[in-house]
Amino acid sequence: MASKTQTVKFEVYMTCDSDGNLLNIEELLKTISKINDRDKKIVTQYGIQTRLDKFHEVIVDSATLRKFPNMKLLYFHMSKLRDDPIAVTRQEVDELSDLDLDADEYIAEDINCLFDTENCILFIQRNFHSLSISGVAFYLKKMYERLEKSKEDFNVDDFEELSLEFQPVPDKKALKGILKSDNIRTLELTFANANVQKFSTGIAKYLGGFKQTFDSLGGARISINLSAGSPKNKSLKAKDIHELAKNIESGQSLFSSAIIRGKEGDMPIEKYDLINGKLFVTHKFSSVKSEDGKTKKMHLRPDSVEDVMKNIYLRESEGKTESLLEETLRNIN
């Protein structure tokens, strides 16, 4: 039987230029949305067409404006348009049948986005098969280039491409989880080979002759995995790993990746990514509907997703004392 709910993941990113300065993309989004010819809003990525379909300013209530006086949220919807052949089947049969598409029909894989103009924060729905965050950046850069080249006074010698990066907001709850863990099962550390001699922790000495082996093999990165082994074995030294985690979280390390798995008491083992962990939230949507007495799967309605995203971003959800916006601002400051 088909699941009646679908869990959707949402992530938070800072919109910046290549120097890390905040970048407001409001005018670019507005300009793209005003293009009437849909074909002129299409950017092809890896042979697949992508397009910004919808754009509008989100209505914010007076209570929210009292709390956030300068709040201005922009909603935009993007689609990845595939026209490759696809087959469909039913649960109780083995045969596949083609899903026929006309020349102007596509399989649409979409995402919904909110952009906070004051804080330059992008709040984005993530779908496994849809446009990635790097794909969104690529689309906006290409559309900026296209718009600039369409101007009458365009000069190719003066043109500079849009400097745009979406930097993930770190999830600082990871450190709290580690410090609560009294049973550390694994520690995975990754660092550049070139940084080995810079460590003051004795890693260079520990590697000994292996360092020369890594150099001769041309390896640029080294990973170390420490494990407590069988669940019956004692934990790795929790106190020392707590101190290591504090140093890594505060930026006082040369590691490029640090993943710790541990648990508190009888709780399940949790994975904590200290460096690359992203702030995200999830929400369950209904994935079926009743039609003519039959239960059918349904696509998520963009207007429903927009409402949920607005509420998550601006209001305290169940079990939380702050909105996602407040948590985001706290994590980046």
Side-chain angles (χ1 to χ4, degrees):
M1 180 179 292
S3 173
K4 294 183 178 181
T5 61
Q6 176 182 351
T7 300
V8 178
K9 184 178 182 180
F10 302 92
E11 294 177 347
V12 192
Y13 293 83
M14 301 304 300
T15 307
C16 307
D17 62 19
S18 57
D19 294 323
N21 302 310
L22 295 180
L23 181 67
N24 192 336
I25 57 174
E26 176 181 2
E27 290 305 316
L28 176 58
L29 292 171
K30 282 184 177 178
T31 305
I32 296 172
S33 70
K34 291 177 181 177
I35 300 174
N36 293 321
D37 187 342
R38 289 189 174 185
D39 289 342
K40 291 184 178 179
K41 292 195 288 187
I42 290 176
V43 171
T44 300
Q45 305 186 40
Y46 302 104
I48 298 176
Q49 295 181 349
T50 57
R51 184 178 66 202
L52 190 149
D53 297 311
K54 301 175 184 178
F55 170 88
H56 60 255
E57 184 175 343
V58 178
I59 298 175
V60 180
D61 59 45
S62 57
T64 298
L65 289 175
R66 284 194 296 271
K67 188 173 183 179
F68 308 110
N70 299 317
M71 176 53 57
K72 185 177 183 181
L73 278 182
L74 304 176
Y75 167 83
F76 64 100
H77 175 274
M78 298 188 69
S79 297
K80 189 164 73 172
L81 310 172
R82 295 194 294 112
D83 60 359
D84 48 312
I86 189 169
V88 295
T89 187
R90 295 181 183 275
Q91 188 174 17
E92 66 272 13
V93 296
D94 294 329
E95 292 82 5
L96 298 175
S97 59
D98 289 335
L99 179 61
D100 295 324
L101 301 174
D102 292 335
D104 60 347
E105 289 183 323
Y106 299 88
I107 302 297
E109 296 165 329
D110 65 332
I111 54 171
N112 298 273
C113 308
L114 291 181
F115 180 69
D116 177 343
T117 63
E118 179 187 10
N119 299 296
C120 296
I121 295 171
L122 180 70
F123 184 34
I124 181 172
Q125 171 194 354
R126 297 306 313 275
N127 290 342
F128 182 76
H129 293 292
S130 192
L131 204 58
S132 66
I133 189 67
S134 60
V136 174
F138 180 87
Y139 176 89
L140 293 175
K141 288 180 180 180
K142 286 299 180 182
M143 286 303 302
Y144 172 82
E145 179 180 343
R146 187 177 299 173
L147 290 166
E148 288 294 302
K149 288 182 176 179
S150 67
K151 295 179 179 178
E152 292 183 0
D153 60 349
F154 174 75
N155 186 330
V156 66
D157 295 328
D158 297 332
F159 173 73
E160 292 185 6
E161 70 173 21
L162 178 65
S163 176
L164 170 64
E165 295 179 2
F166 291 118
Q167 298 182 0
V169 174
D171 182 6
K172 293 195 174 180
K173 295 192 298 292
L175 179 61
K176 292 182 180 178
I178 292 169
L179 296 181
K180 288 182 179 179
S181 299
D182 51 23
N183 188 344
I184 308 295
R185 305 312 302 169
T186 63
L187 169 65
E188 299 174 23
L189 300 173
T190 302
F191 48 92
N193 191 0
N195 285 337
V196 170
Q197 301 301 336
K198 299 178 184 178
F199 281 99
S200 61
T201 56
I203 286 181
K205 181 179 180 181
Y206 170 78
L207 289 175
F210 285 106
K211 173 67 169 65
Q212 295 179 350
T213 301
F214 294 139
D215 289 340
S216 65
L217 293 174
R221 298 167 70 84
I222 298 173
S223 293
I224 295 177
N225 189 331
L226 300 178
S227 173
S230 169
K232 296 180 180 179
N233 295 345
K234 292 182 179 180
S235 162
L236 297 175
K237 292 185 178 179
K239 182 179 178 180
D240 292 340
I241 289 181
H242 290 169
E243 287 302 314
L244 175 64
K246 289 179 185 178
N247 291 334
I248 293 172
E249 199 275 338
S250 63
Q252 300 177 33
S253 81
L254 296 170
F255 298 116
S256 57
S257 175
I259 297 174
I260 296 173
R261 291 177 174 83
K263 64 176 184 173
E264 179 184 8
D266 295 329
M267 299 293 288
I269 294 174
E270 297 281 352
K271 173 184 173 181
Y272 302 103
D273 189 335
L274 278 172
I275 295 177
N276 301 309
K278 302 174 184 177
L279 181 62
F280 72 92
V281 294
T282 59
H283 184 83
K284 288 186 177 181
F285 292 85
S286 175
S287 61
V288 297
K289 63 181 178 180
S290 180
E291 189 175 291
D292 299 328
K294 296 182 179 180
T295 300
K296 295 187 176 182
K297 289 185 177 181
M298 66 178 184
H299 181 74
L300 292 179
R301 289 177 49 185
D303 56 344
S304 297
V305 178
E306 177 189 347
D307 287 341
V308 167
M309 292 179 72
K310 180 178 73 171
N311 288 334
I312 291 174
Y313 189 70
L314 297 175
R315 299 175 184 171
E316 300 86 357
S317 58
E318 184 177 351
K320 289 195 173 185
T321 58
E322 61 184 357
S323 65
L324 181 64
L325 168 57
E326 292 169 308
E327 183 179 2
T328 298
L329 295 177
R330 179 168 50 79
N331 281 13
I332 62 178
N333 292 325

